[in-house]
Structures are given as C-alpha cells and as structure tokens.
Amino acid sequence: MLIYGKEVAAKTLEKIMAMTADFESKYSRKPTLAVIIVGEDPASQTYVRNKINGCKQVGFNSLSYEYPDGTAQEEIENRIKSLAKDETVDGILVQLPLPKGYDEEKILSNIPDSKDVDGFNASNIGCLCLGRPRTVSCTPLGVMSMLESTGVDLNGKNAVVLGRSNTVGKPMAMLLLNANCTVTVCHSKTRNLADFTKNADILIVAIGKPKFVTADMIKEGAIVIDVGINRVDGKLCGDVDFESVEPKTSFISPVPGGVGPMTISMLLYNTLMSAIARENER
Ligand code: GUN
C-alpha cells in the first residue's frame, strides 16, 4: 500500500487552518514565519517557495529574506538577531544547506529556542534526546505522522535509518527510539549494509542517492519511507528503487508525493505551536 504524504498532510493542514483562524480572532494577528535563504541553489529556492506558499494557504504571514552567495556572515546573523527581537515574528528558518564558507552552527545559534521552528538548535535536539521533545525537526516529525497513518504498532519493531544527518537521520532515530522501536542507524561507512536493512520492519532512507535501495535489501512486508528527493534526467526520484522494492513492502511512500508535503505541514504546525506558546508567555 502506498502512503501518500499529500493526503496525510492535508488533514494536518485543515486542523492548522482552523486553529489559525482561532488564533487570529483571539490575538488579532496572524502567526508569522521568517524564512532566510542564502545563494541560488534551485532546489533550495523551490523548497522556500513551497514554504512561503504553505504559509499563505493556512493564513500565516511570511517574511522572506534572500541573500546572494558571498553576503557577509555577520549581515545574516544581524538579520536573525533583529528577527529574534521582533515581537511579531514567531518562527525563524534558515534554509539549509548554506553555501560553502558559512559557519552554519554559528548562524543557527542566533535563533532563540522559542522561534526555532526547524528544531535544529542544540537545546531542542537535546530535549528530543532526553525523551521530552519540544520543537522537533519537520521532516522526521512528518515521517512519524506517516508511520502513524498506517495504524501499525511501532512497539518493539526493528527500525533502520539510512543516513545520519543532523536534519533527518539523527532526530529520526531519536523519534523512533522514543516510540519504542529498536533502532539502528546506518551510514556511508557501514559495512554489509544489506545485513541491517534485511532485518528492518521499518526502513527510513535519507541519504540523497537516487534509487540506492533495491529489492534484495528489503525484508518481506517492511514499511519503507523514502526521504530522498533526487533529480535524474529532469525527473524526480527517491533514494529507493520504487519499482523493484514496492512489491516486497506492506507500505511504501512514493517520490514525489510522499514525505515532501509532510515536511511543510509540520513546519506550519511548529510555527503555530510557537506562536501559541509565545502568546501564552506574554
Ligand atoms: N534543507 C533540507 N531540509 C530542510 C529543513 O527541514 N529545514 C531547513 N531549514 N533546511 C532544510
């Protein structure tokens, strides 16, 4: 069976829209997301455009700051510092990856916890690791919501995560661990990768290599979530060789139409939660 992120996301978006209308009537303002992009990477530009469109769709304000590659690190940090102080801004997002030469960690460290809607800063990651999540990264959160939509009990399942990025692999592993899965994280230095993946009841793939995961690596009846978005000969494909893998799975997410739409709905959810929390703290 296919897990269409678009359908799961649509339900979340409906809830967000209703809650946003309540928020606006209660506080006489809209939740506001500020998005910063540096450089001209076309994929990043598309993601940012989709995020801004998502804001419009659910009734948020959005602010967009576009800097050419080569802009001084300090200028970007100063922008974040001013957005951090701005009472009307609920969330600050810096689209990653930044072009070469920027100190990503230092830039992100200027985003206060209360506005870190990507859940990338050290204290939000720390809380997730301690099993008391606050703001959680959007893509892994979206994957959990897709897994939930299958109705399958996650307790005690063998979950294998391919990829160990700070944005997907690591928080993904923590969420699955918090959901009582037995979690293995594999990466580019893992030996005999298929020995691990063939034992996976749940396989999450986030490595950025087109069609890397093939049918011989899959356990019969597995749930496979493909986080990869690759462009090959002008067409989008995931990290999983969908045609060969799909028949062996109980559930699989397609690319496109799988994880992508979930990431945006979770970002909007995190922004709304941040707006509500900030109003409650006033
Ligand atoms: N680049 C790839 N995924 C993400 C994400 O979830 N947030 C940000 N800010 N950048 C990304």
Side-chain angles (χ1 to χ4, degrees):
M1 291 221 279
L2 289 179
I3 312 173
Y4 290 109
K6 227 174 174 167
E7 287 172 12
V8 184
K11 286 186 196 143
T12 311
L13 289 176
E14 258 173 47
K15 279 184 214 152
I16 294 173
M17 269 186 251
M19 288 173 75
T20 302
D22 284 349
F23 180 91
E24 196 176 354
S25 64
K26 199 165 171 192
Y27 302 112
S28 305
R29 70 177 188 91
K30 294 173 192 286
T32 298
L33 174 67
V35 180
I36 294 169
I37 177 168
V38 186
E40 284 80 34
D41 176 58
S44 289
Q45 286 174 330
T46 304
Y47 298 143
V48 164
R49 209 177 314 119
N50 290 342
K51 289 171 185 180
I52 303 275
N53 286 341
C55 285
K56 278 200 197 102
Q57 192 188 343
V58 297
F60 291 3
N61 271 336
S62 61
L63 305 168
S64 157
Y65 300 91
E66 293 166 29
Y67 294 98
D69 187 4
T71 303
Q73 163 115 4
E74 199 186 4
E75 188 177 339
I76 296 159
E77 287 189 33
N78 285 340
R79 169 63 64 194
I80 298 174
K81 282 175 189 158
S82 110
L83 291 167
K85 279 191 232 139
D86 187 335
E87 282 300 321
T88 67
V89 171
D90 300 298
I92 304 170
L93 179 154
V94 177
Q95 186 62 29
L96 302 180
L98 289 166
K100 282 203 174 66
Y102 289 97
D103 183 342
E104 195 168 284
E105 205 179 318
K106 186 153 180 284
I107 285 183
L108 295 182
S109 72
N110 291 287
I111 303 176
D113 293 352
S114 63
K115 299 190 182 187
D116 175 32
V117 286
D118 257 329
F120 286 168
N121 78 15
S123 78
N124 279 324
I125 299 263
C127 284
L128 175 62
C129 292
L130 293 172
R132 43 179 177 80
R134 286 189 320 209
T135 308
V136 178
S137 327
C138 310
T139 299
L141 200 56
V143 171
M144 290 308 287
S145 183
M146 291 167 84
L147 291 175
E148 237 167 67
S149 79
T150 66
V152 171
D153 181 12
L154 300 183
N155 280 288
K157 291 285 192 303
N158 288 338
V160 173
V161 179
L162 298 196
R164 56 173 160 176
S165 69
N166 291 335
T167 50
V168 182
K170 284 182 200 167
M172 189 73 249
M174 281 302 149
L175 283 170
L176 290 163
L177 191 58
N178 291 348
N180 299 323
C181 292
T182 302
V183 181
T184 307
V185 181
C186 299
H187 47 78
S188 54
K189 300 286 189 288
T190 298
R191 293 182 195 155
N192 305 320
L193 181 62
D195 288 352
F196 296 97
T197 58
K198 274 194 278 195
N199 200 28
D201 303 307
I202 297 165
L203 180 63
I204 316 290
V205 192
I207 51 177
K209 291 186 182 167
K211 303 188 182 189
F212 178 86
V213 173
T214 45
D216 54 307
M217 299 166 75
I218 301 290
K219 178 178 176 180
E220 199 70 46
I223 302 177
V224 176
I225 308 279
D226 188 350
V227 182
I229 303 179
N230 309 288
R231 195 171 283 276
V232 177
D233 300 330
K235 263 186 75 181
L236 290 182
C237 73
D239 293 344
V240 175
D241 180 30
F242 185 89
E243 280 72 29
S244 76
V245 168
E246 189 269 333
K248 287 186 88 173
T249 62
S250 56
F251 292 93
I252 184 168
S253 70
V255 178
V259 176
M262 291 304 299
T263 298
I264 295 181
S265 70
M266 292 302 151
L267 168 66
L268 299 170
Y269 172 80
N270 283 349
T271 305
L272 178 61
M273 289 304 120
S274 153
I276 293 171
R278 294 181 60 258
E279 286 296 341
N280 286 340
E281 272 167 23
R282 266 185 225 276

